[in-house]
Amino acid sequence: MAQAVKGRAADPEAHRLMLLGRYLTRRFNQTDLIRASKYFHQALEVEPDYAFCWCQLGHLYTIATSYGWEAIDQGYQRAEEALKRSLDLEADIAEAHARLGRIKWMRNCDLSGARESVDRALELAPDDFDVLIIAGQMAREVGQFDKALALHRQAVSIDPLNPMAWGAIAASAFFCRRP
């Protein structure tokens, strides 16, 4: 329960704006990402030290870069800066550790650093949906298919209506040859 309040806003308006941005970010389209970015920046104007909002902004930049809507170097740099800002403000935000781990892996090819970040995220929040998805993706990418499947099954058990969880479990099951 204590993990759930790490880095949260004191101002209800900042929290509302972050939630709007988070919702739009998870729609994974360019138009909504632009709108989400505006909400995150508005939230940070209200509360500049809102650590969890910085984490969500880092996630947005990662998506924009991964989908080719932002230049690779600039996008991943912005994502990394936002995630590091989040962790500077609140060192124990599990999702920020996990998302920074993906950037270490994808941008810097730093497998050791990526594993360290994702392991820290799992240590902080072993039942966090986003952490489980990222940890499972990373396990799958390094050939740990059974581990990936287990992590993604755990994510599905936490949020059984989330299509992202079912997509992750389907990909992991495919690589495990368990349709």
Side-chain angles (χ1 to χ4, degrees):
M1 185 60 109
Q3 181 62 31
V5 297
K6 296 265 184 207
R8 302 303 186 200
D11 187 290
E13 179 61 9
H15 183 68
R16 184 186 75 80
L17 292 164
M18 183 282 300
L19 287 174
L20 288 168
R22 188 172 193 203
Y23 167 76
L24 291 168
T25 298
R26 290 172 184 249
R27 292 178 57 150
F28 296 99
N29 70 70
Q30 190 173 17
T31 301
D32 285 335
L33 280 187
I34 292 167
R35 291 175 52 209
S37 176
K38 291 176 184 173
Y39 284 124
F40 291 143
H41 283 98
Q42 288 173 5
L44 292 169
E45 285 176 18
V46 173
E47 193 166 330
D49 291 338
Y50 187 0
F52 193 71
C53 189
W54 282 105
C55 174
Q56 297 308 305
L57 186 60
H59 177 52
L60 178 143
Y61 291 142
T62 301
I63 292 169
T65 305
S66 297
Y67 279 70
W69 300 323
E70 183 139 4
I72 289 175
D73 286 337
Q74 177 184 346
Y76 282 136
Q77 180 179 339
R78 289 171 68 176
E80 189 171 5
E81 288 170 0
L83 292 165
K84 285 182 176 179
R85 174 85 170 121
S86 173
L87 291 170
D88 286 344
L89 292 166
E90 175 53 64
D92 290 339
I93 297 179
E95 186 178 332
H97 281 285
R99 295 198 183 288
L100 191 56
R102 280 195 54 84
I103 291 174
K104 289 176 182 178
W105 170 268
M106 296 170 68
R107 180 183 188 213
N108 305 333
C109 299
D110 177 8
L111 180 57
S112 175
R115 280 187 176 158
E116 183 180 307
S117 292
V118 171
D119 287 348
R120 178 67 177 140
L122 283 169
E123 178 186 316
L124 290 167
D127 292 326
D128 182 279
F129 177 84
D130 292 302
V131 169
L132 290 166
I133 293 293
I134 292 168
Q137 290 169 338
M138 186 165 293
R140 187 177 65 226
E141 290 172 10
V142 297
Q144 297 173 335
F145 302 127
D146 289 330
K147 180 179 179 180
L149 188 58
L151 290 163
H152 288 149
R153 281 183 175 151
Q154 188 177 348
V156 166
S157 74
I158 290 168
D159 191 354
L161 299 179
N162 191 315
M164 187 185 331
W166 287 103
I169 202 169
S172 292
F174 173 80
F175 284 106
C176 286
R177 293 192 167 98
R178 296 183 194 159

